Amino acid sequence: MSGTTGKSGTAGKGGTAGKGGTAGKGGTAGPGPGSLLVRAARPGRAVAYLALALLGAFVGIAGSLLQGAWLPGGLMLALAATAALFYGSLRATGTQLGVAASAVGWLLAIVVLSVGRPEGDAMFASGIAPLVFMLGGMATAVICATMSRLPQPGGGPGRLGG
C-alpha cells in the first residue's frame, strides 16, 4: 500500500487517514447524499416559505394595530399571536428556516410601520408598549428558531447510543 495511516486509521490506495478516519482513493469524500448541495430543490417549499413571510407581515400589521388600541390586553394578545405564528411555522415546516421566513415578514412589517411620515404621523405611539411588542416578538422568534429540531417520523432515538 502506498498510503500512510495515522492513529487507528486505515488508508486506501494513495489516501491518507488521520485519527480514527478512513480515506479512500485520493483522500476526502465530497458532501453526503443528504446535503443541501445534492438534494433537488422542491418548489413547494419555496411557496410555503413565501406564504409564511406574507403571514408574518399580516400578523405584524395586525399586532401593531392591536397593541396600540388596547394597551395591556392588546399587547398581550399581539405577543401571543406572534408567538403562535413563529411556533406554528416551526411545526409546519419542521425547520428553523420556516421560523426565519415568518420572522422576516413580521420584522419588515414592523420596521415599515415604525418609520414615521414626513408630516410627523407614525403608527407606533411613544412609550414602552411598542418597544415591548418589538423586542418581545424578536425574542420569541429567536427562541422558536433555536428550539431543538422536531423528531422525524421513523427516526431512532435522539441520542447516539441511546
Side-chain angles (χ1 to χ4, degrees), residues 82-116:
T82 303
L85 167 73
F86 296 147
Y87 186 70
S89 300
L90 177 66
R91 297 290 296 181
T93 61
T95 64
Q96 285 85 6
L97 191 57
V99 178
S102 59
V104 165
W106 181 84
L107 189 61
L108 284 176
I110 297 300
V111 168
V112 167
L113 290 176
S114 68
V115 175

Side-chain angles (χ1 to χ4, degrees), residues 36-151:
L36 289 173
L37 300 174
V38 178
R39 277 191 268 165
R42 291 182 244 160
R45 276 211 177 280
V47 171
Y49 292 141
L50 181 63
L52 285 173
L54 291 174
L55 185 63
F58 176 74
V59 170
I61 292 169
S64 299
L65 294 171
L66 191 61
Q67 64 88 21
W70 303 304
L71 184 54
L75 177 61
M76 293 301 132
L77 189 59
L79 284 174
T82 303
L85 167 73
F86 296 147
Y87 186 70
S89 300
L90 177 66
R91 297 290 296 181
T93 61
T95 64
Q96 285 85 6
L97 191 57
V99 178
S102 59
V104 165
W106 181 84
L107 189 61
L108 284 176
I110 297 300
V111 168
V112 167
L113 290 176
S114 68
V115 175
R117 293 180 18 184
E119 294 88 21
D121 299 335
M123 182 64 129
F124 289 107
S126 61
I128 192 80
L131 291 176
V132 170
F133 176 61
M134 285 189 243
L135 294 176
M138 286 189 274
T140 305
V142 169
I143 289 168
C144 288
T146 56
M147 290 176 81
S148 64
R149 292 188 173 218
L150 300 172

